C-alpha cells in the first residue's frame, strides 16, 4: 500500500511460491513485485530465456523501463542506438521512446523495473501462460502479431515494429 505522497506504507513480503510466473514471448517471466503490491509505484519482473528471446519494437506510454542484466547478454535497441548489454549492465529506457531487446548469448537472465507500475506486469500476466515448476519451460506460442498489438494497446504499450533478431 502507498500513502497519498506515493510512499510505500505497508511491507510486502513474498517468496517464489507466492509470486506469479508465466511463459511469455518465448521466455520465462517471474513477477517479483506487481504494481498492485506497490500501490502502482513500480513493478519488478525477472526474465530468463535462451538466445533469440526478444520483444517486438515497442514503446510504453506511461512508464520507464529499466533493464538490469544478471547473466548473459542482450542487444538493446532504443531510438537510433544499439548496444550490447552484458552481466551487470543497465539500460534505462524513457517512456515514449521505441525500444526492444533480444538475447544474444546462449541464455540470459535479467530484471525489468517499470516505473511507475503502468500495467506492463498485468499485460505479461494476461498474455503469458502460467508456468508450472513441475513441467518443462518449453516456449509457448503467443498471440499472432496483430492480436499482440491490439492487446498491448489496452495496457498503454504501442508495438511499432517487428521483433529483433539475435
Amino acid at each position: 500500500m502507498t500513502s497519498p505522497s506515493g510512499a510505500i506504507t505497508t511491507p510486502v513480503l513474498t517468496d517464489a511460491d507466492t509470486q506469479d510466473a508465466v511463459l511469455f514471448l518465448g521466455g520465462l517471466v517471474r513477477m517479483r513485485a506487481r504494481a498492485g503490491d506497490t500501490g502502482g509505484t513500480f513493478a519488478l519482473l525477472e526474465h530468463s530465456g535462451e538466445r533469440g528471446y526478444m520483444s517486438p519494437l515497442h514503446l510504453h506510454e506511461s512508464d520507464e523501463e529499466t533493464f538490469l542484466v544478471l547473466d548473459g547478454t542482450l542487444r538493446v535497441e532504443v531510438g537510433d542506438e544499439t548496444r550490447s548489454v552484458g552481466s551487470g549492465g543497465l539500460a534505462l529506457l524513457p517512456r515514449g521512446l521505441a525500444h526492444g531487446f533480444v538475447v544474444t548469448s546462449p541464455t540470459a537472465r535479467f530484471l525489468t523495473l517499470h516505473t511507475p507500475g503502468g500495467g506492463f506486469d498485468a499485460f505479461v500476466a494476461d498474455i503469458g501462460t502460467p508456468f508450472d515448476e513441475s513441467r518443462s519451460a518449453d516456449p509457448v506460442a503467443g498471440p499472432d502479431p496483430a492480436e499482440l498489438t491490439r492487446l498491448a494497446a489496452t495496457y498503454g504499450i504501442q508495438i511499432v515494429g517487428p521483433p529483433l533478431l539475435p
Side-chain angles (χ1 to χ4, degrees):
M1 292 290 147
T2 60
S3 69
S5 68
I8 297 170
T9 59
T10 304
V12 175
L13 305 168
T14 67
D15 57 37
D17 293 335
T18 60
Q19 298 166 357
D20 295 330
V22 298
L23 299 172
F24 176 75
L25 300 181
L28 174 62
V29 180
R30 296 179 186 280
M31 311 286 185
R32 298 305 189 190
R34 303 282 306 263
D37 298 329
T38 68
T41 57
F42 71 90
L44 180 65
L45 286 64
E46 180 183 341
H47 303 250
S48 58
E50 296 179 352
R51 179 178 170 85
Y53 170 45
M54 53 62 205
S55 70
L57 197 60
H58 66 283
L59 63 86
H60 302 269
E61 296 171 356
S62 63
D63 57 325
E64 279 77 37
E65 184 172 24
T66 302
F67 288 73
L68 175 61
V69 180
L70 303 172
D71 297 302
T73 305
L74 308 178
R75 187 176 75 243
V76 177
E77 295 185 15
V78 57
D80 295 332
E81 252 186 281
T82 300
R83 294 274 177 100
S84 180
V85 182
S87 296
L90 179 116
L92 174 58
L93 309 176
R95 71 184 77 188
L97 190 57
H99 62 276
F101 77 89
V102 62
V103 172
T104 56
S105 54
T107 62
R109 191 169 63 90
F110 56 96
L111 300 174
T112 58
L113 176 67
H114 304 267
T115 51
F120 183 74
D121 60 321
F123 171 65
V124 170
D126 286 350
I127 299 302
T129 302
F131 176 66
D132 180 347
E133 296 280 349
S134 67
R135 297 185 315 210
S136 69
D138 292 334
V140 174
D144 67 54
E147 181 68 359
L148 183 67
T149 299
R150 185 190 71 73
L151 293 168
T154 66
Y155 292 92
I157 302 163
Q158 295 177 31
I159 296 180
V160 297
L164 306 181
L165 299 175

